[in-house]
Amino acid sequence: MNPIRRRHLALTLAAAALAACGLPAQAADWPGDKPISYVVPFTVGGSTDVVGRMLAQKLGERLHQSVVVENKPGAAGAIGAAYVAKAPADGYTLFGGTISTHAINASLYKNLRYDPVKDFEPVSLVATLPNVLLVDPNLGVDSVADLIALLKREPSKRTFASSGPGTSTHLAGELFADTIGVPLTHVPYKGTPPAMVDVSSGAVTFMFDQMTAALPLLQNGKLKLLAVTTPQRIALAPDTPTMEEAGVQGFQMASWQAVYAPRGTPKPIVDRLSQEIAAILKEPDVQEKLGKTMGMQLVGSSPEALRDLMASEIPRWAEVVQKSGAQVD
């Protein structure tokens, strides 16, 4: 056989082998020499941003390629999610999804510009996060019961903050208002930090948010912690009661963080990312910062497990949205 035919045969066999194992050429070359974009759909400093920057750094080290965080905040993460939904499915765009972007928004927004299920490839559930009930230390309340009494006395004067319409912090406030039977005004912000600043100054009466984001202001005495929304108390605040222990029966909520890629991203790339993230979450410094220091329950799941979580969370939050009457155009 002459050299030209031999080379042609070798290329043909290589292509056939590649097709047989379902590995597209771009997946075989990935990540190559092109930087990867990690889109965070919320402002700098929030829980999703903290997780995203940690994962970006660690993925960059493991993949030997730069992973650049891009913050695209707004509309409870919907702006960033819609951006990623239209991105090329080549493994060079990742998305820091949350309970808001991939569960709550599906029923809360009338005209959502992306489909949480159809437009994304689940990669990994990263962590679950306890939510907490926060007030200004100068508000004059020392318990959930005190806060409820205040809200019932002055409902027209009282408001609750959130990190944006449609976020878990928004839905938690709506659910709380509905549970205690007091109509309250929602004050949305573009992210957690400005919302917490206004709660700490007394401009807004209370808010629910992740323990992760609240820690700095709790530690310097600018916020007061009244309760946690998880079924059990948390290690970072062992003396703080759960909402149920504080008398608000049936009130349970935990946020979550996850990683997604645009729909159609080759499975070998998705699987590689899932495996790398699971390994990253076991590293001691990650366990220390995100787990022990920030109170996250680190997971590192398969893509299938994240898909199953969404299948249960989307209808669950649709029921909460319907019951609360919350709606965003």
Side-chain angles (χ1 to χ4, degrees), residues 24-39 59 63 65-68 84 87-95 121 123 259-274 277:
Q26 69 266 32
D29 295 337
W30 183 89
D33 58 359
K34 182 179 177 181
I36 298 167
S37 173
Y38 189 112
V39 176
L59 281 171
L63 299 174
Q65 183 54 265
S66 61
V67 182
V68 181
V84 173
D90 55 8
Y92 292 99
T93 304
L94 302 178
F95 183 67
E121 297 290 347
V123 175
V259 176
Y260 295 85
R263 178 44 89 61
T265 299
K267 189 175 188 302
I269 293 178
V270 171
D271 289 343
R272 169 82 184 279
L273 285 166
S274 179
I277 290 169

mmCIF file of all heavy atoms in Angstrom, residues 24-39 59 63 65-68 84 87-95 121 123 259-274 277:
data_model
loop_
_atom_site.group_PDB
_atom_site.id
_atom_site.type_symbol
_atom_site.label_atom_id
_atom_site.label_comp_id
_atom_site.label_asym_id
_atom_site.label_seq_id
_atom_site.Cartn_x
_atom_site.Cartn_y
_atom_site.Cartn_z
ATOM 1 N N PRO A 24 -16.790 14.036 20.032
ATOM 2 C CA PRO A 24 -16.582 15.019 18.982
ATOM 3 C C PRO A 24 -15.156 15.550 19.002
ATOM 4 O O PRO A 24 -14.496 15.558 20.036
ATOM 5 C CB PRO A 24 -17.587 16.133 19.344
ATOM 6 C CG PRO A 24 -18.591 15.475 20.236
ATOM 7 C CD PRO A 24 -17.842 14.423 20.977
ATOM 8 N N ALA A 25 -14.705 15.989 17.840
ATOM 9 C CA ALA A 25 -13.331 16.479 17.747
ATOM 10 C C ALA A 25 -13.059 17.602 18.726
ATOM 11 O O ALA A 25 -12.007 17.652 19.354
ATOM 12 C CB ALA A 25 -13.057 16.935 16.313
ATOM 13 N N GLN A 26 -14.045 18.530 18.889
ATOM 14 C CA GLN A 26 -13.809 19.647 19.788
ATOM 15 C C GLN A 26 -13.713 19.193 21.233
ATOM 16 O O GLN A 26 -13.023 19.806 22.047
ATOM 17 C CB GLN A 26 -14.886 20.722 19.643
ATOM 18 C CG GLN A 26 -16.276 20.332 20.147
ATOM 19 C CD GLN A 26 -17.141 19.779 19.036
ATOM 20 O OE1 GLN A 26 -16.645 19.145 18.117
ATOM 21 N NE2 GLN A 26 -18.445 20.026 19.112
ATOM 22 N N ALA A 27 -14.382 18.078 21.573
ATOM 23 C CA ALA A 27 -14.291 17.546 22.929
ATOM 24 C C ALA A 27 -12.926 16.913 23.157
ATOM 25 O O ALA A 27 -12.352 17.004 24.246
ATOM 26 C CB ALA A 27 -15.394 16.523 23.171
ATOM 27 N N ALA A 28 -12.387 16.262 22.127
ATOM 28 C CA ALA A 28 -11.076 15.631 22.253
ATOM 29 C C ALA A 28 -9.990 16.675 22.463
ATOM 30 O O ALA A 28 -9.009 16.439 23.174
ATOM 31 C CB ALA A 28 -10.787 14.808 20.998
ATOM 32 N N ASP A 29 -10.146 17.856 21.866
ATOM 33 C CA ASP A 29 -9.140 18.915 21.969
ATOM 34 C C ASP A 29 -9.338 19.810 23.193
ATOM 35 O O ASP A 29 -8.441 20.549 23.568
ATOM 36 C CB ASP A 29 -9.183 19.795 20.717
ATOM 37 C CG ASP A 29 -8.789 19.026 19.467
ATOM 38 O OD1 ASP A 29 -8.092 18.000 19.612
ATOM 39 O OD2 ASP A 29 -9.203 19.427 18.366
ATOM 40 N N TRP A 30 -10.524 19.786 23.767
ATOM 41 C CA TRP A 30 -10.869 20.684 24.878
ATOM 42 C C TRP A 30 -10.005 20.416 26.095
ATOM 43 O O TRP A 30 -9.725 19.262 26.396
ATOM 44 C CB TRP A 30 -12.355 20.482 25.216
ATOM 45 C CG TRP A 30 -12.878 21.378 26.285
ATOM 46 C CD1 TRP A 30 -13.410 22.617 26.128
ATOM 47 C CD2 TRP A 30 -12.929 21.096 27.691
ATOM 48 N NE1 TRP A 30 -13.793 23.132 27.341
ATOM 49 C CE2 TRP A 30 -13.500 22.213 28.321
ATOM 50 C CE3 TRP A 30 -12.543 20.018 28.482
ATOM 51 C CZ2 TRP A 30 -13.708 22.281 29.703
ATOM 52 C CZ3 TRP A 30 -12.735 20.080 29.859
ATOM 53 C CH2 TRP A 30 -13.305 21.202 30.449
ATOM 54 N N PRO A 31 -9.535 21.452 26.844
ATOM 55 C CA PRO A 31 -9.846 22.867 26.643
ATOM 56 C C PRO A 31 -8.903 23.601 25.695
ATOM 57 O O PRO A 31 -9.063 24.810 25.510
ATOM 58 C CB PRO A 31 -9.747 23.431 28.056
ATOM 59 C CG PRO A 31 -8.673 22.609 28.692
ATOM 60 C CD PRO A 31 -8.844 21.219 28.127
ATOM 61 N N GLY A 32 -7.900 22.936 25.127
ATOM 62 C CA GLY A 32 -7.042 23.603 24.158
ATOM 63 C C GLY A 32 -6.361 24.832 24.719
ATOM 64 O O GLY A 32 -5.966 24.867 25.883
ATOM 65 N N ASP A 33 -6.272 25.874 23.888
ATOM 66 C CA ASP A 33 -5.599 27.099 24.327
ATOM 67 C C ASP A 33 -6.567 28.273 24.450
ATOM 68 O O ASP A 33 -6.163 29.430 24.414
ATOM 69 C CB ASP A 33 -4.471 27.452 23.352
ATOM 70 C CG ASP A 33 -4.966 27.642 21.920
ATOM 71 O OD1 ASP A 33 -6.186 27.486 21.687
ATOM 72 O OD2 ASP A 33 -4.136 27.946 21.043
ATOM 73 N N LYS A 34 -7.851 27.970 24.610
ATOM 74 C CA LYS A 34 -8.865 29.015 24.699
ATOM 75 C C LYS A 34 -9.370 29.155 26.128
ATOM 76 O O LYS A 34 -9.694 28.151 26.771
ATOM 77 C CB LYS A 34 -10.030 28.662 23.763
ATOM 78 C CG LYS A 34 -11.147 29.691 23.722
ATOM 79 C CD LYS A 34 -12.228 29.246 22.738
ATOM 80 C CE LYS A 34 -13.400 30.225 22.715
ATOM 81 N NZ LYS A 34 -14.455 29.778 21.777
ATOM 82 N N PRO A 35 -9.434 30.373 26.677
ATOM 83 C CA PRO A 35 -9.926 30.543 28.047
ATOM 84 C C PRO A 35 -11.406 30.188 28.165
ATOM 85 O O PRO A 35 -12.164 30.289 27.209
ATOM 86 C CB PRO A 35 -9.686 32.026 28.329
ATOM 87 C CG PRO A 35 -9.634 32.671 26.980
ATOM 88 C CD PRO A 35 -9.027 31.655 26.068
ATOM 89 N N ILE A 36 -11.795 29.771 29.357
ATOM 90 C CA ILE A 36 -13.176 29.389 29.652
ATOM 91 C C ILE A 36 -13.841 30.517 30.429
ATOM 92 O O ILE A 36 -13.245 31.099 31.344
ATOM 93 C CB ILE A 36 -13.212 28.087 30.472
ATOM 94 C CG1 ILE A 36 -12.602 26.944 29.673
ATOM 95 C CG2 ILE A 36 -14.638 27.742 30.908
ATOM 96 C CD1 ILE A 36 -12.308 25.702 30.491
ATOM 97 N N SER A 37 -15.073 30.839 30.074
ATOM 98 C CA SER A 37 -15.840 31.880 30.770
ATOM 99 C C SER A 37 -16.781 31.228 31.771
ATOM 100 O O SER A 37 -17.518 30.294 31.432
ATOM 101 C CB SER A 37 -16.650 32.705 29.765
ATOM 102 O OG SER A 37 -17.519 33.596 30.427
ATOM 103 N N TYR A 38 -16.736 31.684 33.008
ATOM 104 C CA TYR A 38 -17.643 31.216 34.056
ATOM 105 C C TYR A 38 -18.569 32.384 34.404
ATOM 106 O O TYR A 38 -18.154 33.352 35.028
ATOM 107 C CB TYR A 38 -16.846 30.767 35.287
ATOM 108 C CG TYR A 38 -17.672 30.073 36.349
ATOM 109 C CD1 TYR A 38 -17.509 28.725 36.621
ATOM 110 C CD2 TYR A 38 -18.619 30.776 37.100
ATOM 111 C CE1 TYR A 38 -18.256 28.086 37.596
ATOM 112 C CE2 TYR A 38 -19.365 30.145 38.077
ATOM 113 C CZ TYR A 38 -19.181 28.797 38.319
ATOM 114 O OH TYR A 38 -19.922 28.169 39.287
ATOM 115 N N VAL A 39 -19.833 32.293 33.973
ATOM 116 C CA VAL A 39 -20.780 33.400 34.156
ATOM 117 C C VAL A 39 -21.486 33.284 35.498
ATOM 118 O O VAL A 39 -22.115 32.264 35.806
ATOM 119 C CB VAL A 39 -21.812 33.425 33.016
ATOM 120 C CG1 VAL A 39 -22.855 34.527 33.260
ATOM 121 C CG2 VAL A 39 -21.110 33.653 31.675
ATOM 122 N N LEU A 59 -10.573 25.119 38.823
ATOM 123 C CA LEU A 59 -10.693 24.504 37.504
ATOM 124 C C LEU A 59 -9.545 24.934 36.604
ATOM 125 O O LEU A 59 -9.014 24.137 35.822
ATOM 126 C CB LEU A 59 -12.032 24.874 36.864
ATOM 127 C CG LEU A 59 -13.264 24.111 37.345
ATOM 128 C CD1 LEU A 59 -14.543 24.745 36.789
ATOM 129 C CD2 LEU A 59 -13.185 22.638 36.939
ATOM 130 N N LEU A 63 -7.313 22.209 34.803
ATOM 131 C CA LEU A 63 -7.414 22.103 33.345
ATOM 132 C C LEU A 63 -6.233 22.745 32.633
ATOM 133 O O LEU A 63 -6.133 22.674 31.404
ATOM 134 C CB LEU A 63 -8.723 22.754 32.869
ATOM 135 C CG LEU A 63 -10.017 22.138 33.411
ATOM 136 C CD1 LEU A 63 -11.220 22.970 32.975
ATOM 137 C CD2 LEU A 63 -10.177 20.694 32.948
ATOM 138 N N GLN A 65 -5.763 25.832 32.124
ATOM 139 C CA GLN A 65 -6.316 26.853 31.245
ATOM 140 C C GLN A 65 -7.009 27.906 32.109
ATOM 141 O O GLN A 65 -7.582 27.580 33.155
ATOM 142 C CB GLN A 65 -7.326 26.238 30.272
ATOM 143 C CG GLN A 65 -7.923 27.198 29.264
ATOM 144 C CD GLN A 65 -6.850 27.932 28.485
ATOM 145 O OE1 GLN A 65 -6.469 29.033 28.840
ATOM 146 N NE2 GLN A 65 -6.342 27.301 27.421
ATOM 147 N N SER A 66 -6.955 29.159 31.707
ATOM 148 C CA SER A 66 -7.579 30.208 32.510
ATOM 149 C C SER A 66 -9.098 30.097 32.457
ATOM 150 O O SER A 66 -9.686 29.839 31.403
ATOM 151 C CB SER A 66 -7.133 31.591 32.028
ATOM 152 O OG SER A 66 -7.510 31.793 30.688
ATOM 153 N N VAL A 67 -9.729 30.276 33.611
ATOM 154 C CA VAL A 67 -11.181 30.297 33.733
ATOM 155 C C VAL A 67 -11.545 31.666 34.304
ATOM 156 O O VAL A 67 -11.181 31.991 35.434
ATOM 157 C CB VAL A 67 -11.707 29.168 34.639
ATOM 158 C CG1 VAL A 67 -13.230 29.207 34.704
ATOM 159 C CG2 VAL A 67 -11.226 27.807 34.133
ATOM 160 N N VAL A 68 -12.229 32.467 33.512
ATOM 161 C CA VAL A 68 -12.480 33.872 33.843
ATOM 162 C C VAL A 68 -13.925 34.062 34.295
ATOM 163 O O VAL A 68 -14.868 33.682 33.589
ATOM 164 C CB VAL A 68 -12.196 34.777 32.627
ATOM 165 C CG1 VAL A 68 -12.434 36.236 32.987
ATOM 166 C CG2 VAL A 68 -10.778 34.553 32.129
ATOM 167 N N VAL A 84 -26.138 32.799 28.754
ATOM 168 C CA VAL A 84 -25.460 31.510 28.617
ATOM 169 C C VAL A 84 -26.277 30.543 27.761
ATOM 170 O O VAL A 84 -25.713 29.738 27.016
ATOM 171 C CB VAL A 84 -25.176 30.905 30.006
ATOM 172 C CG1 VAL A 84 -24.633 29.487 29.885
ATOM 173 C CG2 VAL A 84 -24.186 31.787 30.761
ATOM 174 N N ALA A 87 -25.170 30.839 24.329
ATOM 175 C CA ALA A 87 -23.730 30.722 24.080
ATOM 176 C C ALA A 87 -23.418 29.438 23.323
ATOM 177 O O ALA A 87 -24.174 28.464 23.375
ATOM 178 C CB ALA A 87 -22.974 30.752 25.406
ATOM 179 N N PRO A 88 -22.304 29.405 22.599
ATOM 180 C CA PRO A 88 -21.912 28.181 21.888
ATOM 181 C C PRO A 88 -21.742 27.011 22.867
ATOM 182 O O PRO A 88 -21.211 27.182 23.965
ATOM 183 C CB PRO A 88 -20.572 28.561 21.260
ATOM 184 C CG PRO A 88 -20.605 30.050 21.152
ATOM 185 C CD PRO A 88 -21.368 30.522 22.352
ATOM 186 N N ALA A 89 -22.209 25.847 22.452
ATOM 187 C CA ALA A 89 -22.131 24.651 23.304
ATOM 188 C C ALA A 89 -20.810 23.929 23.056
ATOM 189 O O ALA A 89 -20.771 22.786 22.595
ATOM 190 C CB ALA A 89 -23.317 23.738 23.011
ATOM 191 N N ASP A 90 -19.719 24.604 23.386
ATOM 192 C CA ASP A 90 -18.399 24.069 23.061
ATOM 193 C C ASP A 90 -17.523 23.844 24.292
ATOM 194 O O ASP A 90 -16.334 23.532 24.166
ATOM 195 C CB ASP A 90 -17.681 24.998 22.082
ATOM 196 C CG ASP A 90 -17.590 26.438 22.603
ATOM 197 O OD1 ASP A 90 -17.938 26.678 23.780
ATOM 198 O OD2 ASP A 90 -17.182 27.320 21.820
ATOM 199 N N GLY A 91 -18.105 24.016 25.487
ATOM 200 C CA GLY A 91 -17.331 23.795 26.697
ATOM 201 C C GLY A 91 -16.575 25.006 27.184
ATOM 202 O O GLY A 91 -15.888 24.939 28.216
ATOM 203 N N TYR A 92 -16.708 26.138 26.487
ATOM 204 C CA TYR A 92 -15.971 27.333 26.881
ATOM 205 C C TYR A 92 -16.840 28.364 27.605
ATOM 206 O O TYR A 92 -16.391 29.476 27.866
ATOM 207 C CB TYR A 92 -15.287 27.954 25.659
ATOM 208 C CG TYR A 92 -14.178 27.076 25.136
ATOM 209 C CD1 TYR A 92 -14.385 26.237 24.058
ATOM 210 C CD2 TYR A 92 -12.947 27.049 25.771
ATOM 211 C CE1 TYR A 92 -13.375 25.396 23.591
ATOM 212 C CE2 TYR A 92 -11.923 26.219 25.316
ATOM 213 C CZ TYR A 92 -12.149 25.386 24.235
ATOM 214 O OH TYR A 92 -11.152 24.555 23.802
ATOM 215 N N THR A 93 -18.079 27.999 27.909
ATOM 216 C CA THR A 93 -18.948 28.849 28.721
ATOM 217 C C THR A 93 -19.610 27.983 29.788
ATOM 218 O O THR A 93 -20.276 26.993 29.471
ATOM 219 C CB THR A 93 -20.039 29.524 27.883
ATOM 220 O OG1 THR A 93 -19.437 30.264 26.816
ATOM 221 C CG2 THR A 93 -20.859 30.482 28.740
ATOM 222 N N LEU A 94 -19.416 28.363 31.048
ATOM 223 C CA LEU A 94 -20.041 27.683 32.176
ATOM 224 C C LEU A 94 -20.935 28.671 32.903
ATOM 225 O O LEU A 94 -20.775 29.896 32.775
ATOM 226 C CB LEU A 94 -18.982 27.137 33.133
ATOM 227 C CG LEU A 94 -17.974 26.157 32.536
ATOM 228 C CD1 LEU A 94 -16.961 25.732 33.600
ATOM 229 C CD2 LEU A 94 -18.683 24.943 31.958
ATOM 230 N N PHE A 95 -21.870 28.156 33.671
ATOM 231 C CA PHE A 95 -22.842 29.020 34.341
ATOM 232 C C PHE A 95 -23.005 28.619 35.796
ATOM 233 O O PHE A 95 -23.187 27.437 36.106
ATOM 234 C CB PHE A 95 -24.196 28.920 33.640
ATOM 235 C CG PHE A 95 -25.249 29.825 34.217
ATOM 236 C CD1 PHE A 95 -25.135 31.200 34.110
ATOM 237 C CD2 PHE A 95 -26.359 29.307 34.878
ATOM 238 C CE1 PHE A 95 -26.101 32.052 34.644
ATOM 239 C CE2 PHE A 95 -27.326 30.139 35.404
ATOM 240 C CZ PHE A 95 -27.200 31.521 35.286
ATOM 241 N N GLU A 121 -27.204 22.045 30.050
ATOM 242 C CA GLU A 121 -26.722 20.726 30.437
ATOM 243 C C GLU A 121 -26.327 20.804 31.914
ATOM 244 O O GLU A 121 -25.417 21.559 32.276
ATOM 245 C CB GLU A 121 -25.488 20.319 29.618
ATOM 246 C CG GLU A 121 -25.708 20.175 28.136
ATOM 247 C CD GLU A 121 -26.560 18.970 27.776
ATOM 248 O OE1 GLU A 121 -26.781 18.100 28.654
ATOM 249 O OE2 GLU A 121 -26.990 18.889 26.612
ATOM 250 N N VAL A 123 -24.308 20.064 35.111
ATOM 251 C CA VAL A 123 -22.942 19.576 35.297
ATOM 252 C C VAL A 123 -22.768 19.000 36.698
ATOM 253 O O VAL A 123 -22.402 17.845 36.868
ATOM 254 C CB VAL A 123 -21.911 20.697 35.054
ATOM 255 C CG1 VAL A 123 -20.493 20.202 35.384
ATOM 256 C CG2 VAL A 123 -21.979 21.183 33.608
ATOM 257 N N VAL A 259 -23.555 24.067 38.792
ATOM 258 C CA VAL A 259 -22.866 24.467 37.566
ATOM 259 C C VAL A 259 -23.573 23.848 36.375
ATOM 260 O O VAL A 259 -23.959 22.673 36.399
ATOM 261 C CB VAL A 259 -21.383 24.030 37.580
ATOM 262 C CG1 VAL A 259 -20.712 24.371 36.250
ATOM 263 C CG2 VAL A 259 -20.639 24.702 38.727
ATOM 264 N N TYR A 260 -23.742 24.664 35.335
ATOM 265 C CA TYR A 260 -24.394 24.234 34.094
ATOM 266 C C TYR A 260 -23.538 24.644 32.901
ATOM 267 O O TYR A 260 -22.661 25.503 33.007
ATOM 268 C CB TYR A 260 -25.769 24.893 33.952
ATOM 269 C CG TYR A 260 -26.774 24.489 34.997
ATOM 270 C CD1 TYR A 260 -26.822 25.134 36.230
ATOM 271 C CD2 TYR A 260 -27.679 23.461 34.753
ATOM 272 C CE1 TYR A 260 -27.726 24.753 37.197
ATOM 273 C CE2 TYR A 260 -28.606 23.085 35.720
ATOM 274 C CZ TYR A 260 -28.622 23.734 36.933
ATOM 275 O OH TYR A 260 -29.530 23.353 37.899
ATOM 276 N N ALA A 261 -23.845 24.041 31.765
ATOM 277 C CA ALA A 261 -23.256 24.425 30.477
ATOM 278 C C ALA A 261 -24.403 24.568 29.484
ATOM 279 O O ALA A 261 -25.497 24.047 29.713
ATOM 280 C CB ALA A 261 -22.262 23.365 30.001
ATOM 281 N N PRO A 262 -24.202 25.277 28.377
ATOM 282 C CA PRO A 262 -25.264 25.384 27.365
ATOM 283 C C PRO A 262 -25.676 24.010 26.838
ATOM 284 O O PRO A 262 -24.846 23.105 26.720
ATOM 285 C CB PRO A 262 -24.618 26.232 26.259
ATOM 286 C CG PRO A 262 -23.537 26.998 26.953
ATOM 287 C CD PRO A 262 -23.018 26.079 28.010
ATOM 288 N N ARG A 263 -26.957 23.861 26.517
ATOM 289 C CA ARG A 263 -27.458 22.596 25.992
ATOM 290 C C ARG A 263 -26.710 22.222 24.723
ATOM 291 O O ARG A 263 -26.490 23.061 23.860
ATOM 292 C CB ARG A 263 -28.956 22.724 25.710
ATOM 293 C CG ARG A 263 -29.650 21.483 25.108
ATOM 294 C CD ARG A 263 -29.304 20.199 25.717
ATOM 295 N NE ARG A 263 -30.014 19.669 26.821
ATOM 296 C CZ ARG A 263 -31.284 19.327 26.919
ATOM 297 N NH1 ARG A 263 -32.146 19.642 26.006
ATOM 298 N NH2 ARG A 263 -31.731 18.711 27.959
ATOM 299 N N GLY A 264 -26.312 20.964 24.641
ATOM 300 C CA GLY A 264 -25.569 20.489 23.490
ATOM 301 C C GLY A 264 -24.077 20.408 23.719
ATOM 302 O O GLY A 264 -23.340 19.915 22.864
ATOM 303 N N THR A 265 -23.618 20.894 24.874
ATOM 304 C CA THR A 265 -22.194 20.752 25.200
ATOM 305 C C THR A 265 -21.857 19.257 25.218
ATOM 306 O O THR A 265 -22.574 18.467 25.834
ATOM 307 C CB THR A 265 -21.884 21.379 26.576
ATOM 308 O OG1 THR A 265 -22.190 22.782 26.524
ATOM 309 C CG2 THR A 265 -20.423 21.202 26.943
ATOM 310 N N PRO A 266 -20.803 18.830 24.521
ATOM 311 C CA PRO A 266 -20.491 17.401 24.440
ATOM 312 C C PRO A 266 -20.427 16.714 25.799
ATOM 313 O O PRO A 266 -19.854 17.259 26.753
ATOM 314 C CB PRO A 266 -19.125 17.387 23.742
ATOM 315 C CG PRO A 266 -19.126 18.633 22.923
ATOM 316 C CD PRO A 266 -19.854 19.657 23.751
ATOM 317 N N LYS A 267 -20.999 15.544 25.875
ATOM 318 C CA LYS A 267 -21.066 14.808 27.140
ATOM 319 C C LYS A 267 -19.694 14.550 27.752
ATOM 320 O O LYS A 267 -19.548 14.651 28.987
ATOM 321 C CB LYS A 267 -21.819 13.495 26.953
ATOM 322 C CG LYS A 267 -22.135 12.774 28.267
ATOM 323 C CD LYS A 267 -22.971 11.548 28.036
ATOM 324 C CE LYS A 267 -23.436 10.947 29.373
ATOM 325 N NZ LYS A 267 -22.296 10.583 30.263
ATOM 326 N N PRO A 268 -18.670 14.208 26.950
ATOM 327 C CA PRO A 268 -17.357 14.013 27.567
ATOM 328 C C PRO A 268 -16.853 15.245 28.311
ATOM 329 O O PRO A 268 -16.206 15.124 29.346
ATOM 330 C CB PRO A 268 -16.453 13.673 26.371
ATOM 331 C CG PRO A 268 -17.377 13.094 25.359
ATOM 332 C CD PRO A 268 -18.655 13.869 25.511
ATOM 333 N N ILE A 269 -17.159 16.440 27.791
ATOM 334 C CA ILE A 269 -16.757 17.673 28.468
ATOM 335 C C ILE A 269 -17.556 17.849 29.749
ATOM 336 O O ILE A 269 -17.009 18.174 30.813
ATOM 337 C CB ILE A 269 -16.940 18.891 27.541
ATOM 338 C CG1 ILE A 269 -15.968 18.818 26.371
ATOM 339 C CG2 ILE A 269 -16.752 20.191 28.317
ATOM 340 C CD1 ILE A 269 -16.107 19.950 25.368
ATOM 341 N N VAL A 270 -18.859 17.631 29.681
ATOM 342 C CA VAL A 270 -19.721 17.749 30.863
ATOM 343 C C VAL A 270 -19.260 16.776 31.945
ATOM 344 O O VAL A 270 -19.141 17.138 33.124
ATOM 345 C CB VAL A 270 -21.195 17.494 30.486
ATOM 346 C CG1 VAL A 270 -22.058 17.392 31.745
ATOM 347 C CG2 VAL A 270 -21.715 18.602 29.577
ATOM 348 N N ASP A 271 -18.990 15.545 31.558
ATOM 349 C CA ASP A 271 -18.560 14.536 32.529
ATOM 350 C C ASP A 271 -17.206 14.893 33.141
ATOM 351 O O ASP A 271 -16.991 14.717 34.352
ATOM 352 C CB ASP A 271 -18.485 13.161 31.867
ATOM 353 C CG ASP A 271 -19.861 12.587 31.546
ATOM 354 O OD1 ASP A 271 -20.855 13.077 32.116
ATOM 355 O OD2 ASP A 271 -19.931 11.655 30.726
ATOM 356 N N ARG A 272 -16.310 15.399 32.309
ATOM 357 C CA ARG A 272 -14.986 15.804 32.828
ATOM 358 C C ARG A 272 -15.134 16.934 33.840
ATOM 359 O O ARG A 272 -14.525 16.913 34.925
ATOM 360 C CB ARG A 272 -14.106 16.243 31.653
ATOM 361 C CG ARG A 272 -12.795 16.940 32.057
ATOM 362 C CD ARG A 272 -11.704 15.978 32.413
ATOM 363 N NE ARG A 272 -10.501 16.656 32.879
ATOM 364 C CZ ARG A 272 -9.577 17.205 32.078
ATOM 365 N NH1 ARG A 272 -9.713 17.138 30.757
ATOM 366 N NH2 ARG A 272 -8.501 17.777 32.608
ATOM 367 N N LEU A 273 -15.960 17.921 33.513
ATOM 368 C CA LEU A 273 -16.187 19.034 34.439
ATOM 369 C C LEU A 273 -16.811 18.553 35.741
ATOM 370 O O LEU A 273 -16.416 18.987 36.835
ATOM 371 C CB LEU A 273 -17.095 20.075 33.779
ATOM 372 C CG LEU A 273 -16.449 20.955 32.709
ATOM 373 C CD1 LEU A 273 -17.520 21.685 31.905
ATOM 374 C CD2 LEU A 273 -15.495 21.965 33.357
ATOM 375 N N SER A 274 -17.773 17.665 35.642
ATOM 376 C CA SER A 274 -18.428 17.136 36.835
ATOM 377 C C SER A 274 -17.422 16.434 37.737
ATOM 378 O O SER A 274 -17.423 16.615 38.961
ATOM 379 C CB SER A 274 -19.546 16.171 36.424
ATOM 380 O OG SER A 274 -20.181 15.631 37.569
ATOM 381 N N ILE A 277 -15.041 19.040 39.369
ATOM 382 C CA ILE A 277 -15.703 19.798 40.432
ATOM 383 C C ILE A 277 -15.843 18.939 41.688
ATOM 384 O O ILE A 277 -15.612 19.410 42.820
ATOM 385 C CB ILE A 277 -17.075 20.312 39.956
ATOM 386 C CG1 ILE A 277 -16.881 21.422 38.903
ATOM 387 C CG2 ILE A 277 -17.908 20.834 41.127
ATOM 388 C CD1 ILE A 277 -18.142 21.822 38.177
#
